[in-house]
Amino acid sequence: MVHLLFSASSVLAGYWQDALGEARRCARLPPPQERDAVLWLDLASLDAGQRDADWPTLCRHYRVVALSSSPNDAEGMHWLQLGVSGYAHAYAGADELRQIAASVAAGGTWLGRSLLLQLCQRFGALVPPPEQAGWRDRVSSREAEVIAILKQGRSNKEIARELDITERTVKAHLTAIFQKFGVEDRFQLLLKLTQPAH
């Protein structure tokens, strides 16, 4: 996996490079082309013309991670709608940057906790109830309970508390559910469950 770093700040680009290892800084936005690469995008470095670039096309050719020095849910939602694979703080810790890299490389979506739970709640409301859904037959009773709480935009800790199980057990159920539906994370799961046929 190639990591391309777009930032006007050599300090920030250096920080990302230290965290990610093999990474190459690019002075301008790369042209759309088919390649196995993650584009790490410093939003503060974008000029007006770059902000108006054809992001949906770029996001089809690269896994784009939009990084903000002052992230907020509205900005994250905007970039997510443009097709980015991740949205996070530009100065996230090195371990978190590596987790983001692994997640988006595996096809997942990386969002801040509050935005992720907000989106899960929004899309969870669109998921049909188990008795009206084809997905119910694909999961166990306990997994259906986990999905029902997940639809409310609740965290693993809240799911564990509600079902009186450990967070570790919640994670095990989620892993099994993700495998059954061929998804990488809770957001992708809820998007899939809103579709008419699963």
Side-chain angles (χ1 to χ4, degrees):
M1 178 69 56
V2 177
H3 295 284
L4 303 175
L5 313 177
F6 178 82
S7 177
S9 166
S10 57
V11 172
L12 183 57
Y15 174 69
W16 293 348
Q17 204 160 18
D18 288 345
L20 299 169
E22 292 226 8
R24 190 172 73 245
R25 189 170 175 200
C26 48
R28 61 186 74 120
L29 291 175
Q33 53 184 297
E34 295 297 334
R35 60 185 308 179
D36 196 23
V38 178
L39 174 60
W40 298 80
L41 183 65
D42 176 12
L43 296 179
S45 295
L46 294 175
D47 62 30
Q50 292 165 330
R51 283 191 174 272
D52 292 335
D54 184 1
W55 288 105
T57 297
L58 266 172
C59 290
R60 282 194 298 275
H61 292 273
Y62 298 94
R63 293 175 180 98
V64 178
V65 178
L67 297 145
S68 174
S69 51
S70 55
N72 63 74
D73 289 352
E75 181 183 57
M77 184 72 78
H78 168 75
W79 284 96
L80 185 67
Q81 289 169 334
L82 291 175
V84 301
S85 298
Y87 176 77
H89 199 292
Y91 293 93
D95 285 342
E96 185 174 349
L97 290 173
R98 287 189 285 271
Q99 288 175 351
I100 294 169
S103 177
V104 300
T109 305
W110 184 278
L111 302 170
R113 185 177 185 275
S114 68
L115 181 58
L116 175 62
L117 296 179
Q118 178 186 349
L119 286 171
C120 285
Q121 185 175 20
R122 182 178 294 180
F123 285 99
L126 303 175
V127 174
E131 59 276 5
Q132 299 173 9
W135 60 262
R136 177 56 188 93
D137 296 336
R138 297 174 63 180
V139 297
S140 70
S141 297
R142 182 58 98 178
E143 289 167 350
E145 291 174 329
V146 169
I147 290 172
I149 300 169
L150 188 69
K151 287 172 37 177
Q152 300 167 25
R154 309 275 287 281
S155 68
N156 287 0
K157 184 180 282 190
E158 291 168 324
I159 295 170
R161 196 176 306 129
E162 177 94 14
L163 296 177
D164 196 27
I165 57 179
T166 66
E167 278 187 73
R168 185 176 180 172
T169 303
V170 171
K171 288 178 184 174
H173 285 308
L174 287 173
T175 298
I177 294 167
F178 296 162
Q179 288 175 345
K180 288 177 182 180
F181 290 95
V183 296
E184 297 292 331
D185 55 45
R186 63 182 64 210
F187 179 59
Q188 290 182 349
L189 172 70
L190 292 174
L191 281 177
K192 187 151 198 172
L193 295 182
T194 63
Q195 297 167 0
H198 314 300

